[in-house]
Amino acid sequence: MKRMNLWMLTAILTCGLSLLCSCSSDDNSTDGSKPDTPRTSPVDYTVMLYTIGGENLDWETEADILKACQGLKAQDPNVRFFFQYKYSSQKGLDQQSEKRGGWNFLGKAGGVYRAELEPDMLSDDGKDMRLFTEQMRYGTQQATAELYQPDSIASFIKYCQAVGPAKNYILIIGDHGGGYTTVDDAYKDGRGNTRAVCNDGTLKGNPGITAHELREGIEKSGVHLKMLMYDDCIMNTLEVLGESQNTTDYVMASNHITRGGNFTHLINSLRNVAANNDFEGEIGKYMEKVISENYDSQLESEEVLEKYPGQKCHCDFVLTDMKKFQGVMSAMKQFTDKLMSMETVLNTLDAADGCYQCSPGSSLYDVTSYVSILNFFNNDLKETADALTKAIEAAQVKHVYTQALSDFLAKSDKYTPDYKKLSYLVNIGCGRTNGVGESFGLLRTSAANDDGDIECIDENGQYWIYESDLDMFTRDKNKVNELATWANSYKMTAFEQTTGWTRWIKKNRDLPRNNPPFFFE
């Protein structure tokens, strides 16, 4: 690929601001010195990309940055675009380079780079980026920098606000995502608050950013976002969005494994918003365009194709109005209260069986699918189930599906009875009773293996194995993780504190199995 070592003077000066903001301390969480005057007066939108290579996505991250740069115009009065990016380890870069037949990366392994994108960072033909310079490096820690720290997130947002003041700010979190997974608390030394995103392979334990840390970082920055955009897989969960109620007007995320968006289209959409003041409409068009161009013609993920060759991509993008999401939280609490008020435990053995699961490797299930099935088995839930469904429909101002997913929902009677839409993801878990009749809960932590066995964890950090052939749970005597107890994780989420959902996880007796769209009979 064609890349040059020298930049135009203006690009160097811009990157110099990044260096200025990084050299007043030995860590990467400092705010440093703010420039006396910004380059221009406030624009309509400043977009901020905060991302980590994740050991296998650096080439995709560079492609995202290229798309953003290609969409920019010099001295654009509407949109500016900043990024802070930490590369994967050398091992990760080498593996990616080999896989792609020799890939020359823009930056160095473990390097942390921070800068504003400018059109003259493109190669002469506009088809590639020029190499990242040493002036773009941020901080002195580099490979040991902990980008999951709230102070690091706050520092980046403050930097963007100072250098690129705007009427509206959009934060994009890039790289890997996995929704809420309690067991991931283990690598945080008991700090709790899981929901990992942006896994950092340069650090011990491959730590990621949690939704709680992200919320704290945004709050520390003092900037209220127009939109928080997850350019990551499986982040459209109740547990994740519950942390974002007061930090942003909108959240854009997906229930499925994604391959990211197109930042050229995003920038163009934001320019249109500046002209017609229709944010929801333009972002909705952006989502439709990305699904149509990037997903409808693609096949499913590799793990799905191993079992079902040729299957088309099941993916969606959801835009949520966070002011209305509070109604979802309230309705979810009322629904949980109703479940708990029933004298007997619902017979969910058939209900949970077949509940929509976003990915075979995830323990997350669609809320409206689950609620619809439970209501089908017990009509006493109808009032609260209908209220929850209406609250979700009101909050989700735009929901776009791939054609394969739309076709599946349209023809599926067993898995989405009386309801042909998806909503948010949530942990369902299951409950068990010990020898003295006391109930405890289990959260699924892994997909079923070839034998159908599933690994779970209880509220005390004890691991259990569900053995499908015996239809029973067996305690793993050698595996206990005290750092992954519910007290350190699930119960710290705003979602749990509002709804008390763990009450149902303990009472519900079934672990969902045979879940679509990947386990057709």
Side-chain angles (χ1 to χ4, degrees):
M1 306 180 78
K2 182 180 178 182
R3 287 170 181 146
M4 299 176 62
N5 291 316
L6 297 177
W7 284 6
M8 299 293 288
L9 178 60
T10 53
I12 296 175
L13 291 175
T14 300
C15 297
L17 285 174
S18 175
L19 183 63
L20 176 64
C21 292
S22 69
C23 60
S24 63
S25 172
D26 281 341
D27 71 40
N28 288 66
S29 63
T30 178
D31 293 326
S33 302
K34 293 182 179 180
D36 293 331
T37 56
R39 176 172 61 83
T40 63
S41 58
V43 295
D44 289 298
Y45 287 91
T46 283
V47 183
M48 307 171 287
L49 172 63
Y50 193 83
T51 187
I52 298 171
E55 294 302 285
N56 64 350
L57 290 179
D58 293 274
W59 61 274
E60 291 193 81
T61 301
E62 289 191 348
D64 287 341
I65 291 173
L66 171 62
K67 284 288 187 183
C69 204
Q70 289 172 333
L72 291 169
K73 299 176 182 177
Q75 297 292 309
D76 196 323
N78 298 124
V79 184
R80 296 174 71 176
F81 199 108
F82 295 79
F83 73 91
Q84 182 163 315
Y85 171 25
K86 182 178 181 182
Y87 275 87
S88 298
S89 67
Q90 188 63 59
K91 179 181 179 181
L93 294 188
D94 290 344
Q95 290 176 341
Q96 293 176 71
S97 180
E98 181 179 358
K99 184 177 181 179
R100 297 191 62 79
W103 184 274
N104 300 314
F105 290 97
L106 298 170
K108 298 179 180 180
V112 181
Y113 296 84
R114 174 192 280 190
E116 178 180 7
L117 287 178
E118 300 277 11
D120 53 15
M121 292 181 179
L122 294 169
S123 59
D124 292 340
D125 60 8
K127 296 181 180 181
D128 197 11
M129 294 286 297
R130 303 182 193 274
L131 291 173
F132 292 166
T133 66
E134 287 300 306
Q135 286 83 0
M136 292 176 66
R137 286 209 186 220
Y138 168 63
T140 57
Q141 285 186 330
Q142 294 295 296
T144 60
E146 298 175 338
L147 266 65
Y148 62 78
Q149 295 289 357
D151 285 346
S152 177
I153 299 166
S155 168
F156 174 59
I157 297 174
K158 287 180 179 180
Y159 159 76
C160 295
Q161 183 188 39
V163 181
K167 300 173 185 176
N168 302 281
Y169 295 90
I170 293 176
L171 177 63
I172 303 173
I173 302 298
D175 191 59
H176 290 295
Y180 179 94
T181 48
T182 301
V183 71
D184 282 341
D185 278 333
Y187 63 57
K188 288 296 185 67
D189 299 324
R191 294 179 63 240
N193 304 303
T194 183
R195 310 163 302 282
V197 67
C198 289
N199 302 101
D200 188 348
T202 67
L203 300 178
K204 182 180 180 180
N206 193 34
I209 303 167
T210 71
H212 182 85
E213 290 163 345
L214 180 58
R215 182 193 74 188
E216 186 178 346
I218 297 171
E219 289 174 343
K220 282 189 172 186
S221 76
V223 172
H224 184 83
L225 303 175
K226 181 69 174 181
M227 182 169 70
L228 172 60
M229 179 176 169
Y230 284 107
D231 197 46
D232 321 90
C233 301
I234 317 176
M235 296 302 290
N236 196 52
T237 81
L238 291 177
E239 293 95 340
V240 169
L241 269 68
E243 302 297 318
S244 302
Q245 294 178 90
N246 300 315
T247 59
T248 182
D249 293 341
Y250 296 92
V251 171
M252 179 180 162
S254 175
N255 291 313
H256 294 82
I257 293 174
T258 71
R259 298 174 176 88
N262 184 315
F263 295 156
T264 296
H265 293 336
L266 177 64
I267 291 170
N268 289 333
S269 295
L270 294 176
R271 288 198 187 98
N272 292 337
V273 175
N276 61 28
N277 200 34
D278 183 11
F279 184 85
E280 293 181 1
E282 291 299 332
I283 296 301
K285 292 177 184 177
Y286 163 74
M287 292 158 56
E288 290 174 345
K289 193 167 188 176
V290 170
I291 285 288
S292 175
E293 291 184 1
N294 293 11
Y295 290 88
D296 275 337
S297 62
Q298 293 186 359
L299 297 176
E300 259 297 348
S301 61
E302 291 182 6
E303 62 180 330
V304 175
L305 293 177
E306 288 178 1
K307 289 188 175 182
Y308 304 99
Q311 184 164 325
K312 286 292 188 69
C313 185
H314 282 227
C315 188
D316 66 340
F317 286 112
V318 184
L319 180 65
T320 296
D321 183 337
M322 294 309 295
K323 295 184 292 296
K324 296 179 180 179
F325 184 79
Q326 296 176 5
V328 176
M329 296 279 276
S330 176
M332 192 69 182
K333 180 183 185 305
Q334 293 174 11
F335 183 76
T336 308
D337 290 344
K338 181 64 176 179
L339 286 172
M340 297 304 298
S341 71
M342 295 179 174
E343 293 183 3
T344 58
V345 176
L346 284 172
N347 179 14
T348 60
L349 292 178
D350 291 326
D353 187 50
C355 179
Y356 188 94
Q357 182 185 18
C358 64
S359 167
S362 171
S363 60
L364 299 168
Y365 304 87
D366 186 80
V367 174
T368 51
S369 173
Y370 188 57
V371 169
S372 176
I373 294 171
L374 292 186
N375 184 47
F376 179 82
F377 280 87
N378 192 318
N379 200 50
D380 290 343
L381 291 169
K382 180 172 175 52
E383 183 177 349
T384 52
D386 287 348
L388 175 57
T389 300
K390 289 179 181 178
I392 289 173
E393 290 179 338
Q396 293 191 347
V397 296
K398 188 71 174 181
H399 198 151
V400 181
Y401 304 92
T402 55
Q403 190 60 53
L405 181 54
S406 294
D407 292 343
F408 169 80
L409 294 173
K411 68 183 180 182
S412 175
D413 293 324
K414 176 180 179 181
Y415 300 125
T416 54
D418 303 322
Y419 199 79
K420 300 301 181 182
K421 301 178 183 178
L422 299 180
S423 57
Y424 299 104
L425 300 172
V426 73
N427 278 269
I428 294 175
C430 66
R432 283 293 177 269
T433 303
N434 61 19
V436 294
E438 181 179 345
S439 64
F440 64 95
L442 295 173
L443 282 174
R444 175 174 175 170
T445 66
S446 71
N449 60 26
D450 292 339
D451 296 325
D453 297 340
I454 297 171
E455 190 174 59
C456 302
I457 189 171
D458 69 19
E459 54 199 304
N460 298 313
Q462 171 68 61
Y463 281 76
W464 297 73
I465 299 295
Y466 170 73
E467 299 178 73
S468 60
D469 57 338
L470 301 176
D471 194 22
M472 64 178 292
F473 286 86
T474 302
R475 183 168 64 91
D476 187 339
K477 297 180 181 180
N478 299 317
K479 198 168 184 181
V480 178
N481 191 335
E482 297 178 355
L483 301 180
T485 64
W486 291 11
N488 287 336
S489 56
Y490 205 103
K491 290 191 174 182
M492 298 180 75
T493 64
F495 172 71
E496 160 63 16
Q497 292 172 6
T498 299
T499 67
W501 183 244
T502 54
R503 295 175 294 161
W504 176 244
I505 290 177
K506 292 174 66 175
K507 188 176 183 180
N508 165 39
R509 297 298 175 85
D510 190 55
L511 186 74
R513 290 157 291 178
N514 302 318
N515 309 106
F518 309 113
F519 297 110
F520 298 105
E521 294 182 350

